[in-house]
Structures are given as C-alpha cells and as structure tokens.
Amino acid sequence: MGNKITHTGIIVATKPRSVTVRIGADHEQCGACALASLCTKPQTLEVACPSPTPDLIGRKATLEFSNGSQRRAVVLFLAIPIILLLVSALICSLLGCSEGLLAALALGSVATWFLILYICKGWINQKEVVALVKID
C-alpha cells in the first residue's frame, strides 16, 4: 500500500472553500485495487479548494487519497468483519450453541457491523483525507 490512490472525477458544485467532485467505480485504476468490488456506484466527495470559481463546474479533477485512507478501508471493511465473525463463532462454540445458531449469530454480527458502517457513512466520509491534485 505504498502508492497513493488517485481518482479522476467531474466537478459538480462549488462552495466558498471547496468543490464537490463526482467519482465513479469505472476508473481505469480500479482493476488493480483489491477493494474495487466494494465501489459499486458513483459518489460525490467534498474537497478543499483554495479559490473555487463557478466556471470549474463540469471540469475534470484528479483526487488523491492518502495511505491512511487505504488502511482505514481495509480495517473497516475486511479486518473488523473477519474478527467479528471469528469471535462470535468462538463464543457460540464455547457456549455449546448448535451449528445453525452459531452461523446465524456470526453472520448477524457481521451484518450488524455493515449496518453500523452504512449509518455512519457520512462521518466516515468526513474522515477521508482527500487532496485535489489538479483540475483539467
């Protein structure tokens, strides 16, 4: 994970100190990303911009995500669900639960985690470290 992830997108709105960029999962570099299957639909990101002007709308922008963003994505979407699955399965097996109940509780714990992520997606997106690299 030494390389930074870059995305190109289209500027869809401007604010006094930021621009809103729409990016999608159809980017040419997505094929090399292990998490590409998790990016299923276009999303918009608000990125700091020192002096945005209305004529920027519709122009192409290149965004760069920090290495911390990559690590956070791996932890939130891969590591924690696997740990939850294993811990809940271990606890259920130690308590002597049936295999059906064990599977249901283990999958339920992972489903609950993804529900929490969905509810908190606005907060998670605010924590993203995204830099506007260039505007074409």
Side-chain angles (χ1 to χ4, degrees), residues 3 5 23 36 38-39 52-53 74 84 88-90 95 105 109-110 117 121-122 129-132:
N3 299 333
I5 295 175
I23 61 171
L38 297 175
C39 301
T53 57
V74 169
L84 280 173
S88 58
L90 179 66
L95 293 175
L105 291 175
S109 67
V110 174
L117 286 179
K121 69 181 176 182
V129 181
V130 182
L132 183 63

Side-chain angles (χ1 to χ4, degrees), residues 26-73:
D26 56 347
H27 194 266
E28 60 271 1
Q29 291 181 341
C30 289
C33 180
L35 302 175
S37 63
L38 297 175
C39 301
T40 56
K41 61 182 179 178
Q43 63 177 336
T44 57
L45 296 172
E46 192 170 324
V47 185
C49 182
S51 55
T53 57
D55 67 325
L56 294 178
I57 295 175
R59 292 178 64 185
K60 190 169 154 182
T62 303
L63 304 177
E64 188 175 81
F65 294 82
S66 71
N67 289 332
S69 296
Q70 295 173 46
R71 283 188 286 279
R72 189 179 318 63

